[in-house]
Amino acid sequence: MKIIVTGGAGFIGSAFVRLALAEGARVVNLDKLTYAGNLENLAAVAEHPAYTFVHGDICDAKLVNDLVAAEKPDAVVHFAAESHVDRSILDPSPAFETNLRGTFTLLEAARAHRLPRFIHVSTDEVYGSIPFPGEADENFPLNPSSPYSASKAGSDLLARSYFTTYGTPVIVTRASNNYGPYQFPEKLIPLMISNAFEDRALPVYGDGMQVRDWLYVDDHCRAIHALIAKGRAGEIYNIGGSAALANIDVVRRILAATGKTESLIRSVADRPGHDRRYALSSAKVMRETGWAPTVSFDDGLARTIAWYCENSGWVERVKSGDYRAYYARNYDDRHAGV
Ligand code: NAD
Ligand code: TYD
């Protein structure tokens, strides 16, 4: 099996590339290497004989078309995206370009070359905030709140339209919040771990009672891998971690595990349009593929903290340069929260 992976130098994409190679696939990784793309994430497989890296933009129609024509893959797994809500609030334009135009460009190539499988990696954020105790199944209405989630909802619908209109064999996956090694420290868990290590303030938005369902990255990748073989074209599959926690509880666990005190917690101004709660049912992917999450939150968090502790060089490198400017822009003007 040959797979074109987009965004394979990012957090989830790199974990998927490692898994797919270990499972015997040939992998072509197409990545633009934005601030979030990092070839260090793939150092362990860079010389693997079944692995090829292509540096390019998914919005580049000629490049995408030529690549698909030349490689004739059995599947495209599409991770490439601008993936951070806060950055999409500061500047929505990159999310619009990559998440919408980039997905369109890939779908056009999939249609033209009659690709046998196209996995579009979407997110539970397309459902928007879900009041307790509800949970979204795949038929739940889409109600995205941020420029990021709206761009993902748009690309998710576009991908499905290619199945309905052209019969392109698209599968859409909607996963909950991922965490694990190699996650860029702009997202909650790695940001809090890295700030705790440095005795810096841990900025909790609003009252910290927002709920996210945490999915260990390798469990997510195993679900996608199972869906390449067993998923049905035209279908949507939720992928959740069955680990719902309020942000403040996640932060407290990180402080306890890193031996730091709660005096580091800073309540700061809330994120505009902040979704209060995500919750989804993964019954369908479990029933149809036999997949289930295997890593508990306690175990996954311990593994993640250990990885960031052992890989301080990686953290230092990704936090140099542009990261500092982003951090100042997102956090410096946040007046005190509740
Ligand atoms: P990430 O930000 O870590 O990585 C994104 C990757 O895409 C990077 O390697 C980047 O260089 C590449 N990229 C960005 N724009 C590109 C372009 N125009 N052309 C080619 N490559 C480009 O993201 P992630 O957290 O690994 O998320 C991967 C996918 O999973 C995204 O589609 C995201 O929406 C989805 N997702 C993420 C989560 C999560 O919790 N992180 C949860 C559900 C779904
Ligand atoms: P994040 O990791 O950005 O993922 P998403 O917004 O896609 O769910 O944020 C997870 C939760 O943590 C979300 O409710 C926002 C909150 N959060 C903070 O309280 N402080 C922070 O500095 C960050 C980055 C996130």
Side-chain angles (χ1 to χ4, degrees):
M1 142 112 25
K2 184 192 278 186
I3 307 172
I4 292 183
V5 174
T6 72
F11 162 50
I12 307 171
S14 64
F16 182 80
V17 169
R18 293 189 296 271
L19 172 78
L21 288 168
E23 293 289 336
R26 282 181 291 157
V27 174
V28 179
N29 172 19
L30 171 60
D31 198 296
K32 183 181 176 182
L33 299 180
T34 67
Y35 78 91
N38 185 351
L39 290 179
E40 270 192 63
N41 301 358
L42 292 162
V45 298
E47 305 301 325
H48 195 295
Y51 172 71
T52 311
F53 176 65
V54 177
H55 187 195
D57 189 333
I58 57 165
C59 299
D60 181 340
K62 180 169 185 334
L63 180 145
V64 167
N65 206 56
D66 289 352
L67 185 68
V68 170
E71 297 291 349
K72 299 184 179 52
D74 301 294
V76 167
V77 183
H78 173 34
F79 292 100
E82 288 292 333
S83 68
H84 190 37
V85 172
D86 291 320
R87 286 193 193 246
S88 84
I89 293 170
L90 292 171
D91 178 7
S93 144
F96 178 86
E97 276 302 315
T98 287
N99 302 358
L100 286 161
R101 183 175 300 285
T103 301
F104 166 68
T105 305
L106 289 163
L107 287 166
E108 277 293 89
R111 172 166 86 100
H113 298 281
R114 299 182 174 280
L115 284 188
R117 265 280 184 265
F118 187 101
I119 310 272
H120 176 73
V121 180
S122 188
T123 162
D124 66 349
E125 300 195 26
V126 298
Y127 298 122
S129 199
I130 298 176
F132 182 83
E135 59 176 25
D137 66 11
E138 289 80 357
N139 298 315
F140 204 81
L142 305 193
N143 187 24
S145 307
S146 70
Y148 162 71
S149 53
S151 68
K152 291 296 290 187
S155 55
D156 173 320
L157 291 172
L158 189 66
R160 292 175 55 215
S161 80
Y162 270 61
F163 173 76
T164 310
T165 308
Y166 304 116
T168 307
V170 169
I171 289 172
V172 170
T173 63
R174 295 178 181 154
S176 62
N177 284 64
N178 281 222
Y179 70 105
Y182 298 102
Q183 188 168 28
F184 195 84
E186 63 189 356
K187 306 279 173 29
L188 179 75
I189 287 182
L191 185 143
M192 298 297 171
I193 293 172
S194 125
N195 281 17
F197 281 159
E198 294 177 13
D199 289 310
R200 289 164 64 112
L202 272 49
V204 173
Y205 296 162
D207 64 5
M209 293 306 291
Q210 304 85 3
V211 172
R212 297 294 183 266
D213 169 23
W214 294 99
L215 172 65
Y216 193 69
V217 63
D218 292 344
D219 275 335
H220 183 189
C221 292
R222 284 193 311 101
I224 291 174
H225 194 261
L227 285 167
I228 294 176
K230 297 179 184 163
R232 287 180 294 133
E235 295 293 320
I236 304 163
Y237 295 89
N238 289 345
I239 307 171
S242 304
L245 283 168
N247 293 338
I248 191 70
D249 292 333
V250 173
V251 169
R252 289 199 174 113
R253 286 181 194 220
I254 290 170
L255 287 169
T258 53
K260 306 290 178 171
T261 71
E262 295 192 7
S263 63
L264 286 178
I265 297 175
R266 293 282 182 290
S267 172
V268 301
D270 209 347
R271 173 188 277 172
H274 198 170
D275 284 331
R276 197 71 183 159
R277 176 174 177 267
Y278 297 142
L280 77 178
S281 161
S282 310
K284 183 174 172 182
V285 69
M286 291 174 162
R287 190 174 62 243
E288 293 193 18
T289 71
W291 173 87
T294 59
V295 181
S296 70
F297 187 74
D298 283 342
D299 184 19
L301 188 63
R303 288 192 210 180
T304 305
I305 291 173
W307 187 88
Y308 280 89
C309 186
E310 287 155 17
N311 291 275
S312 53
W314 183 94
V315 177
E316 268 168 41
R317 285 188 288 282
V318 301
K319 285 179 77 165
S320 63
D322 169 69
Y323 182 83
R324 290 183 200 289
Y326 161 73
Y327 200 91
R329 200 168 163 218
N330 194 48
Y331 293 97
D332 279 2
D333 291 338
R334 271 198 139 91
H335 59 77
V338 290

